[in-house]
Amino acid sequence: MFEQHINGNIEYLERPGANGPVLVMLHGVGSNAASFSTLLDHIPGDWRVIAWNAPGYGGSAALDAQWPLALDYAEALRAFLDRLDLKRVLLAGHSLGCLMAASFAATHRERVARLLLSSPALGHGVPRGAALSAAAQARIDDLETLGPDQFAALRAPRLVYQPESNQEIVRRVRDGMARVTRPGYPQAARMLASGRLIDDAERLQVPTDVIVGAEDLVTPPDSARRAHAALRDPWRGALTIVPAAGHALYQQAPAAFAGALAALAETVG
């Protein structure tokens, strides 16, 4: 079970471990740290598992910039890990969290033993301060006009493969999404608009795996293939496409996702 903590300006959840590796997980734009709870039963008990609430989510303070870049979140992560005295970790990002994770690993490669990009959001490549991409603007507008509950009810089913048959998973995704707030969510949506994951993937000098749901409508398998192809040898690891799973990959297929996490530790000396 996760324990809740505050470290400086970041709220996070932790399951203590013994002699296993330290795994740090970064959630997506419409989620939060608690969404990773379904994974815990599938991760070895001796692993120390940490999931942060990104800046502006949950009890974590928002960033100062109205339009932050992926590097701003990466530097917030560096400061967070410094305060925890974590020198080197296994790092897993999901969706928008991949932009943060890749930026961090590209900038601080000595801090990451191995990286997992899950359902990677590539970003829209919009220069900061320019007109937002239509998708990013719609995220901000929908939250403003609909409110968190209706916003989540509208978007959550699209994240789950066969939502009508997986209503409990949809409910969990919806409940997490209904917790997004301003200014954290609009900041993250702007970062998504300016994100350029492929650029960071090309710079990575950290062993990196990619995993995606075969039925992901938000970040389709072709996006994952592009991210994987951008990785350079010898850093390019496995590409895993999980059948019968949508964007909410670790909630819909936790055992498959945990298998990808286990591979991180198996290949690190």
Side-chain angles (χ1 to χ4, degrees):
M1 180 177 294
F2 272 135
E3 301 171 355
Q4 186 173 355
H5 302 277
I6 293 282
N7 179 278
N9 56 0
I10 295 293
E11 179 184 58
Y12 68 102
L13 300 179
E14 177 175 353
R15 189 195 70 182
N19 300 316
V22 179
L23 170 66
V24 176
M25 297 189 290
L26 312 181
H27 63 79
V29 65
S31 194
N32 54 56
S35 65
F36 291 109
S37 297
T38 54
L39 277 175
L40 290 183
D41 287 343
H42 301 273
I43 298 175
D46 63 338
W47 287 32
R48 183 181 179 187
V49 182
I50 294 170
W52 79 343
N53 276 320
Y57 286 74
S60 296
L63 296 172
D64 292 334
Q66 184 182 25
W67 188 327
L69 301 178
L71 184 59
D72 295 311
Y73 290 90
E75 288 306 299
L77 177 60
R78 178 198 56 77
F80 171 65
L81 296 182
D82 285 350
R83 290 192 299 269
L84 291 177
D85 197 29
L86 293 174
K87 304 300 184 188
R88 199 161 183 255
V89 300
L90 302 177
L91 184 61
H94 180 258
S95 194
L96 186 81
C98 292
L99 286 162
M100 305 174 191
S103 179
F104 177 81
T107 308
H108 303 287
R109 64 177 183 267
E110 75 284 354
R111 306 291 297 269
V112 181
R114 195 171 183 99
L115 173 65
L116 178 65
L117 302 178
S118 164
S119 311
L122 302 186
H124 308 152
V126 175
R128 179 158 58 180
L132 285 173
S133 55
Q137 189 64 60
R139 288 179 178 276
I140 296 172
D141 292 345
D142 286 351
L143 179 61
E144 183 70 33
T145 58
L146 299 174
D149 290 337
Q150 290 186 35
F151 169 81
L154 175 69
R155 287 183 172 265
R158 190 165 180 261
L159 274 63
V160 178
Y161 173 57
Q162 294 186 339
E164 65 284 352
S165 302
N166 293 286
Q167 294 185 19
E168 176 59 24
I169 300 172
V170 173
R171 182 194 64 76
R172 291 200 301 267
V173 173
R174 184 185 68 240
D175 289 352
M177 196 176 291
R179 297 178 189 175
V180 301
T181 59
R182 295 179 294 270
Y185 185 84
Q187 285 179 325
R190 294 185 187 100
M191 188 272 269
L192 175 62
S194 60
R196 301 180 68 92
L197 180 69
I198 298 300
D199 291 354
D200 279 333
E202 291 173 344
R203 296 196 300 132
L204 285 171
Q205 296 183 46
V206 169
T208 302
D209 301 325
V210 180
I211 186 171
V212 67
E215 309 299 334
D216 191 331
L217 302 177
V218 179
T219 57
D222 280 350
S223 295
R225 291 188 184 99
R226 285 185 60 197
H228 186 256
L231 300 168
R232 295 181 298 153
D233 290 331
W235 314 111
R236 186 187 297 119
L239 170 63
T240 302
I241 300 178
V242 181
H247 187 66
L249 178 57
Y250 56 87
Q251 293 175 288
Q252 188 153 32
F257 192 89
L261 293 176
L264 299 188
E266 288 172 2
T267 55
V268 174

